[in-house]
Amino acid sequence: MVQTDENPFDGRDEIFAAKQPLKKDSFDPETIFHRDEEIDLYVNALQDVVVGHEPNNVFVYGPTGVGKTAVTKWVRDMLLEKADEQNVDLDILGPVNCRNYKSSYRLVSRLVNEFRSPDNQLPKSGYSTDTVFEFLYEEIEDVGGNVLIILDEIDNIPPDARNDFLYDLPRAEASENAAIDEACIGLIGISNDLKFVDSLEPKVKSTLGEREIKFGPYDANELRDILGYYADLSFRDGVLSDDVIPLAAAFTAQERGDVRQGLKILEKAGEYARMDGKSSVTEDHTRRATETIETDEILDSFDNDLTRQQALAYIATTLAIIEPEHEARTKRIYTLYSSITEAVGSDPRSERKLYEYLDQLSMQGFVRSEDHNQGRRGGRRFIYEVTDDPIDIINAVVKSDYQEALPNNVWNILEHYKEDEATSFEAPNPDDETQQQIWHFT
């Protein structure tokens, strides 16, 4: 029975002073740690703007959570400040996150609307892509001077759209019949994909002529400094025991050197302490936080990084991996993909489409494949693996909007997978239908 005579909410948070700094994507730090070399490269690439030359194109690469966006915003602010001192005509648009813009039309429309007033916004559809490009050129020409456009997570733009956009925009002021005459355009692209430039067409690479800046992962000592800075802003004085920051930093460095992951561990550890009614965050709370962080990150990917079809392909690949006596081959994955797609009330796409989804998942780092050449008669086959623990993936699916995609006997088979994980076996005949009827879908 629920007690109604007492309110269960506390009026004061004894652990957190402010949680906002732990939300790295929505908090801009005043201090940048351990990125002096990258800042120097940035400044050198953009110095031309403040001394009267045209802006360069800059591309920034590195895994998530290593300071790319934070450094870009800091450099942006410093550049605007210096341009104002020097009376240099400069406008900077962004960063605009490309995650939700899957076509040139949608991305260019968003950029147009960034220039326009709220009562003069472009609709989501109704014009040709060429027309919205013309609108963008008109807005840039009206602004005049130097215009820098910052695009974050630019690797999320589909290949065809990115090639069109990155080819057309820099050439808008470069040709004899240019659409832009008075303004000078520079593009700053931020990518989590280290091979992003390799995916561009040769003519696009030539047009961009970009400067490249690569960000590597942080080590444990660097993460101690960074996490300590955010912790001082987020937790009440004296709340963290001495071993919390070193432990969170060490775990994060072993994984990916990703500050976001370290901040999530600190936030989760603080919440565990608060739930336990404790006045301090201890090593035990931190270790508990590290045990659940992987599942939480996968769940975040379902919400923010994967399309519905990509998520279903990812789940199908995971099921193909954990089912006994099977290899996660493309045809097997497609069979499971078709079943779970129908289970969630959607229509499965073609097998060719599944290949595309698997390629996309591979580019984003969710899966990897191994090419097995079986000789002249056997041909080639791809066997897939997931880059996260399948158990963590299944736990994340249970908490996600895709839980109906799981077969009703998934936990039984997962138990067998745990037991057999270290056991090798001879792969069965993939054409044997009796061995393929393993999963039970409702």
Side-chain angles (χ1 to χ4, degrees), residues 205-373:
K205 295 181 188 178
S206 175
T207 299
L208 286 173
E210 80 284 346
R211 310 289 184 92
E212 294 185 16
I213 304 173
K214 295 183 180 179
F215 283 61
Y218 295 107
D219 64 30
N221 290 329
E222 292 170 338
L223 284 164
R224 279 195 198 190
D225 294 337
I226 297 167
L227 296 182
Y229 168 78
Y230 284 98
D232 287 343
L233 297 173
S234 302
F235 291 91
R236 295 194 179 277
D237 292 342
V239 161
L240 294 186
S241 63
D242 292 340
D243 44 14
V244 168
I245 296 296
L247 181 59
F251 178 85
T252 304
Q254 289 173 2
E255 292 295 307
R256 294 192 301 271
D258 176 351
V259 172
R260 283 192 189 92
Q261 187 180 56
L263 296 179
K264 288 177 182 177
I265 291 171
L266 292 180
E267 182 179 14
K268 198 84 172 178
E271 289 175 351
Y272 280 135
R274 192 170 62 182
M275 287 163 51
D276 291 345
K278 303 295 184 182
S279 59
S280 63
V281 184
T282 65
E283 176 185 349
D284 178 63
H285 296 130
T286 310
R287 292 194 181 279
R288 283 166 61 189
T290 63
E291 291 170 1
T292 60
I293 196 68
E294 293 296 334
T295 297
D296 291 343
E297 288 190 345
I298 297 167
L299 183 60
D300 184 65
S301 294
F302 280 127
D303 291 338
N304 299 312
D305 298 330
L306 300 177
T307 66
R308 184 173 180 80
Q309 293 297 328
Q310 287 174 340
L312 294 172
Y314 184 42
I315 296 167
T317 305
T318 306
L319 295 179
I321 289 168
I322 67 174
E323 65 181 352
E325 300 187 350
H326 273 84
E327 293 176 323
R329 299 172 64 176
T330 311
K331 288 190 179 297
R332 182 59 187 152
I333 295 171
Y334 183 72
T335 299
L336 292 169
Y337 160 79
S338 299
S339 296
I340 68 175
T341 303
E342 292 172 357
V344 298
S346 297
D347 295 326
R349 305 296 194 264
S350 66
E351 192 168 339
R352 182 179 63 81
K353 272 297 192 183
L354 176 71
Y355 296 156
E356 291 183 16
Y357 302 143
L358 292 173
D359 284 345
Q360 292 160 4
L361 291 170
S362 179
M363 281 181 21
Q364 292 174 271
F366 290 98
V367 306
R368 56 175 172 258
S369 62
E370 186 175 338
D371 185 357
H372 288 244
N373 192 327

Side-chain angles (χ1 to χ4, degrees), residues 29 37 49 79 85 122 134 155 182 187 198 215 223 241 243 259 294 304 310 366 376 379 385 387:
E37 183 177 342
V49 175
L79 181 62
E85 290 178 8
L122 280 181
E134 290 173 8
D155 45 291
E182 298 296 327
L187 184 65
D198 295 337
F215 283 61
L223 284 164
S241 63
D243 44 14
V259 172
E294 293 296 334
N304 299 312
Q310 287 174 340
F366 290 98
R376 293 175 62 186
E385 296 178 349
T387 54

Side-chain angles (χ1 to χ4, degrees), residues 12 32 38 49-50 99 124-125 181 194 198 246 274 287 311 323 330 347 361 367 394 426 441:
R12 172 180 164 84
I32 302 293
E38 291 81 1
V49 175
V50 295
R99 180 181 294 170
K124 292 183 178 179
S125 62
D181 184 45
L194 298 175
D198 295 337
R274 192 170 62 182
R287 292 194 181 279
E323 65 181 352
T330 311
D347 295 326
L361 291 170
V367 306
I394 297 299
E426 184 177 351
F441 291 90

Side-chain angles (χ1 to χ4, degrees), residues 51-71:
V51 294
H53 307 308
E54 294 185 4
N56 295 302
N57 298 315
V58 182
F59 277 79
V60 181
Y61 309 93
T64 59
V66 296
K68 302 186 301 297
T69 303
V71 168

